[in-house]
Amino acid sequence: GENVEQHPSTLSVQEGDSAVIKCTYSDSASNYFPWYKQELGKGSQLIIDIRSNVGEKKDQRIAVTLNKTAKHFSLHITETQPEDSAVYFCAASKGGSYIPTFGRGTSLIVHP
Amino acid sequence: GAGVSQSPRYKVAKRGQDVALRCDPISGHVSLFWYQQALGQGPEFLTYFQNEAQLDKSGLPSDRFFAERPEGSVSTLKIQRTQQEDSAVYLCASSGRDGFPYGYTFGSGTRLTVV
């Protein structure tokens, strides 16, 4: 089955800096890669996703890049703010009726 | 409701006790998923419903775990004879589209501690 590795497990940055979280996947048939933000006491929210026919997608301060050849994808957050502090999860899926496999999560801490 | 609602938020159970965890998905969402998240780990798939039909239960770790969604809306995850390794956060997610995982919305989870 699919195996998703996520790094780092913890990331500490100063407000205004950029943050990058990286994930690798094993199944070359995976074609959908969502990112979720999990805040304490709140449900996880889908923040951005990318499909395998696209190399990069951007939404304001958040961007995701995908390298299908290397089977890795990354989340980039620019101009970080304290409210970006949360646990971020990547996932990989073959889409359709396939259940996504999640990474272990990255705890992002943005210091004011 | 506006989001996926789970109850209780916290549950402490004595080893051997049965527990029932509830999930109220977003109204009208066809698909409902249960995940188990151990401390420091990502969510691990347990089971999936489309309306009232349980289409995939391959992630349930043992026959002590049972899930139902009898009317295609609220779902209950039941764990019988709880053991310490069952301690985790149990997450419920729902999706309005058949072609998940697009549009997943997670609840806040139920933190189960077995003592």
Side-chain angles (χ1 to χ4, degrees):
Chain A
E2 175 67 275
N3 181 48
V4 176
E5 299 284 341
Q6 182 171 349
H7 299 281
S9 57
T10 305
L11 179 58
S12 183
V13 300
Q14 289 296 128
E15 183 176 1
D17 287 352
S18 294
V20 181
I21 303 170
K22 299 181 179 182
C23 288
T24 60
Y25 61 99
S26 60
D27 190 341
S28 57
S30 289
N31 59 14
Y32 177 67
F33 308 92
W35 285 88
Y36 288 86
K37 178 181 181 182
Q38 187 177 60
E39 296 177 87
L40 196 63
K42 299 182 183 179
S44 299
Q45 303 290 330
L46 176 70
I47 55 171
I48 196 167
D49 56 13
I50 192 167
R51 303 187 191 196
S52 60
N53 58 345
V54 174
E56 182 174 358
K57 183 176 177 181
K58 191 172 182 180
D59 183 3
Q60 300 182 336
R61 296 186 296 109
I62 295 173
V64 56
T65 58
L66 171 65
N67 183 327
K68 285 192 297 180
T69 304
K71 295 205 282 288
H72 67 69
F73 56 111
S74 300
L75 178 71
H76 304 253
I77 306 174
T78 58
E79 301 170 29
T80 53
Q81 301 167 4
E83 52 264 39
D84 295 331
S85 297
V87 178
Y88 291 81
F89 289 95
C90 64
S93 166
K94 288 184 266 191
S97 60
Y98 290 95
I99 306 293
T101 300
F102 286 83
R104 290 190 174 190
T106 296
S107 177
L108 173 64
I109 303 165
V110 180
H111 299 281
Chain B
V4 177
S5 178
Q6 291 188 247
S7 61
R9 288 289 303 277
Y10 304 93
K11 176 69 179 177
V12 177
K14 291 186 177 179
R15 190 168 51 183
Q17 187 180 350
D18 296 349
V19 298
L21 313 179
R22 178 188 169 106
C23 172
D24 261 289
I26 291 175
S27 179
H29 272 194
V30 169
S31 302
L32 185 146
F33 312 84
W34 284 98
Y35 283 82
Q36 180 190 59
Q37 186 176 12
L39 190 65
Q41 305 290 320
E44 296 276 348
F45 170 76
L46 293 176
T47 187
Y48 155 60
F49 290 86
Q50 185 172 320
N51 295 307
E52 68 277 4
Q54 189 174 20
L55 299 188
D56 189 336
K57 55 181 180 179
S58 61
L60 296 176
S62 77
D63 58 7
R64 297 185 296 104
F65 286 71
F66 173 76
E68 59 183 6
R69 193 186 186 198
E71 297 178 359
S73 56
V74 171
S75 178
T76 303
L77 176 67
K78 298 179 179 177
I79 309 173
Q80 297 176 324
R81 305 181 303 281
T82 52
Q83 299 177 7
Q84 284 191 317
E85 60 263 30
D86 299 335
S87 296
V89 174
Y90 290 85
L91 296 170
C92 176
S94 72
S95 171
R97 294 176 56 173
D98 207 13
F100 65 87
Y102 318 124
Y104 251 39
T105 301
F106 280 94
S108 301
T110 294
R111 182 176 295 279
L112 172 66
T113 304
V114 181
V115 298

